[in-house]
Amino acid sequence: MVSVATFNTPIQLQKDHLVSCFIPNLDGGGAERVMLHLAEGFASRGWKADLVVAQAKGAYLAKVPPTIRLINLQAKTPLLVTKTIALQQYLQREQPTALLTTLDIFNSAAWAQRLASVPTRTIMVVQTNLSQQFRDRHSPPMRRFKSQMVKQFYPWADQIVAASTGVAEDVAEMMGIAASNIRVIYNPVVKPNFFAKIQEPLEHPWFQDGAPPVILGVGRLVKQKDFATLVRAFAEVRRHCPCRLVILGDVDEREPTIKPELEQLIREFGIQDDVQLPGFVENPYAYMARAKVFALSSIYEGFGNVVAEAIAAGTSVVSTDCKSGPSEILGNGKYGQLVPVGDSAAFAKAMLDTLNHPVDSHLLVERAKAFTVDTIVDQYLEVINQVLKGTTSAIGS
């Protein structure tokens, strides 16, 4: 039986306190980027910041700056048990004031905190629409099991933060609590160096002056992103005007067939001379700034980091009206067109309309100010201080 230690003395976060961000690894996904940006944001304000990973691997490993400390727990399989024990040992040794955790269905952070019997407060950051993710990836028995784990163990966190209102409503329903008990904080996607990044040279010949317009997609090559619908829609757009499609993103080792399936679909439409899948690139923002349309074709999202990044680059967006996030970023259509999930005809029409009538880039850049690292770090610091003072809403026993 795990012993439960309670700590009721309210304190205020001070500059000598340690704030830690925990994530399984540093693969090139949105959640990993969010935790990296948060850790950088805390460090830039003068707090000590650790980025704690179960395994030090992934595309973002080389991007960890010297201002934050990378802690490699070196957890081996079975990962759930070993990472919890390793995290417990880290908490006993370092005793951070607050620990933010994400991609943590079993809430190993809270398990580790209880086993360590330290006063560290834990904050669960939910980055995706869990019910949609479970439907996408698991059989009905596994969906029920994981949903039960969320209901059982997420309340152990001192506070839950959701990346969008849609995510908050989804996880609240899964837990059987009021959505008002979950704090919504959008993702910190616009860093201080963002605008320097978009101005960096881009040698790709398709993005040079005078070339046909490029439609850009960015994301891992996984079922969730539904790039097949984007390819079908692009094939229709290509019938009406000269244009090209570039999709940036890594192959996911859990779904290795997606890329060859996309390549086969591209060949079937005969558009292989106008479509490229370059893989992961170090600076996607330079591509975003030079694309004519940014396209998100996802079946579901938690927030949709790339949508916020695209509008920050001043690029018009067409997105599926998926759960959750893109419609919130785009102001329910004010800042970009929304189309039904999986509807390639509607997607093609919206992309053609947007190519001909782009959204005012100044309006998009102004909207993106809501997603700067400084703005979001302020909100997280507010939540951390509320947790330390014991003034957050109770989310469980």
Side-chain angles (χ1 to χ4, degrees):
M1 192 75 172
V2 177
S3 62
V4 180
T6 58
F7 304 90
N8 297 316
T9 304
I11 61 174
Q12 181 85 10
L13 188 66
Q14 304 293 330
K15 290 296 177 72
D16 61 341
H17 289 171
L18 171 63
V19 179
S20 301
C21 298
F22 173 60
I23 198 164
N25 55 53
L26 287 168
D27 285 345
E32 293 86 351
R33 191 160 70 251
V34 164
M35 296 303 265
L36 178 57
H37 288 182
L38 284 175
E40 289 180 272
F42 294 137
S44 71
R45 300 293 184 86
W47 278 274
K48 293 187 292 184
D50 281 355
L51 185 63
V52 185
V53 295
Q55 297 175 330
K57 64 177 186 177
Y60 291 132
L61 187 59
K63 293 181 176 294
V64 179
T67 54
I68 61 178
R69 187 171 60 161
L70 178 67
I71 304 294
N72 180 13
L73 298 181
Q74 299 181 324
K76 308 297 183 184
T77 54
L79 189 57
L80 176 61
V81 175
T82 56
K83 77 176 180 181
T84 302
I85 294 172
L87 187 56
Q88 172 198 348
Q89 293 169 346
Y90 164 79
L91 292 177
Q92 288 173 326
R93 182 175 68 252
E94 302 294 340
Q95 297 195 24
T97 302
L99 175 67
L100 280 64
T101 181
T102 195
L103 302 182
D104 192 8
I105 293 298
F106 298 97
N107 203 354
S108 54
W111 274 99
Q113 187 271 344
R114 290 180 173 213
L115 290 166
S117 294
V118 293
T120 300
R121 305 313 206 264
T122 60
I123 298 171
M124 170 63 72
V125 182
V126 188
Q127 285 286 324
T128 195
N129 189 293
L130 292 175
S131 61
Q132 293 278 345
Q133 183 188 75
F134 295 167
R135 272 195 294 274
D136 184 38
R137 295 184 179 179
H138 302 302
S139 64
M142 181 56 74
R143 290 178 212 159
R144 290 191 291 270
F145 172 72
K146 285 203 166 183
S147 296
Q148 188 59 40
M149 294 302 97
V150 169
K151 185 174 183 178
Q152 178 69 35
F153 298 124
Y154 273 33
W156 285 12
D158 292 290
Q159 179 63 46
I160 297 175
V161 171
S164 67
T165 300
V167 167
E169 292 169 350
D170 177 67
V171 74
E173 182 177 355
M174 194 173 291
M175 294 173 62
I177 65 172
S180 58
N181 289 332
I182 297 174
R183 175 70 182 268
V184 175
I185 301 180
Y186 292 141
N187 284 345
V189 298
V190 184
K191 294 177 61 179
N193 66 346
F194 179 86
F195 297 101
K197 288 284 188 182
I198 66 176
Q199 293 173 11
E200 287 184 0
L202 182 58
E203 301 301 327
H204 195 297
W206 286 10
F207 292 86
Q208 305 310 310
D209 291 342
V214 176
I215 295 168
L216 179 69
V218 178
R220 288 182 187 174
L221 302 186
V222 293
K223 177 183 175 184
Q224 173 199 347
K225 303 301 180 181
D226 193 17
F227 286 127
T229 289
L230 176 54
V231 168
R232 293 187 183 97
F234 172 77
E236 177 62 23
V237 173
R238 184 67 186 80
R239 289 179 59 246
H240 295 273
C241 68
C243 57
R244 288 163 170 165
L245 173 65
V246 174
I247 300 175
L248 305 176
D250 265 343
V251 173
D252 191 304
E253 61 185 15
R254 294 168 298 184
E255 301 182 50
T257 65
I258 297 295
K259 184 175 183 180
E261 289 170 358
L262 283 174
E263 291 170 334
Q264 175 60 30
L265 185 62
I266 291 164
R267 287 192 295 270
E268 289 175 6
F269 280 112
I271 53 176
Q272 55 267 37
D273 291 339
D274 293 312
V275 182
Q276 287 190 1
L277 310 175
F280 178 87
V281 299
E282 286 294 324
N283 181 13
Y285 313 125
Y287 289 78
M288 289 178 179
R290 291 164 176 83
K292 296 301 180 184
V293 175
F294 183 85
L296 184 104
S297 51
S298 297
I299 300 169
Y300 67 93
E301 288 287 342
F303 176 65
N305 292 348
V306 289
V307 174
E309 290 167 341
I311 66 171
T315 300
S316 297
V317 172
V318 175
S319 172
T320 51
D321 191 12
C322 64
K323 296 181 179 180
S324 318
S327 64
E328 296 178 44
I329 297 170
L330 296 176
N332 294 314
K334 178 180 179 181
Y335 302 102
Q337 293 209 41
L338 295 162
V339 299
V341 171
D343 190 334
S344 60
F347 214 125
K349 182 181 183 303
M351 288 195 294
L352 275 168
D353 289 345
T354 303
L355 283 169
N356 292 322
H357 305 286
V359 179
D360 186 319
S361 61
H362 295 96
L363 181 69
L364 298 177
V365 173
E366 186 66 25
R367 169 60 178 156
K369 290 179 180 178
F371 316 119
T372 65
V373 171
D374 273 349
T375 297
I376 303 307
V377 166
D378 280 343
Q379 295 174 26
Y380 269 97
L381 290 174
E382 178 186 349
V383 166
I384 291 170
N385 276 318
Q386 287 174 345
V387 168
L388 295 176
K389 295 175 183 176
T391 57
T392 54
S393 300
I395 56 175
S397 55

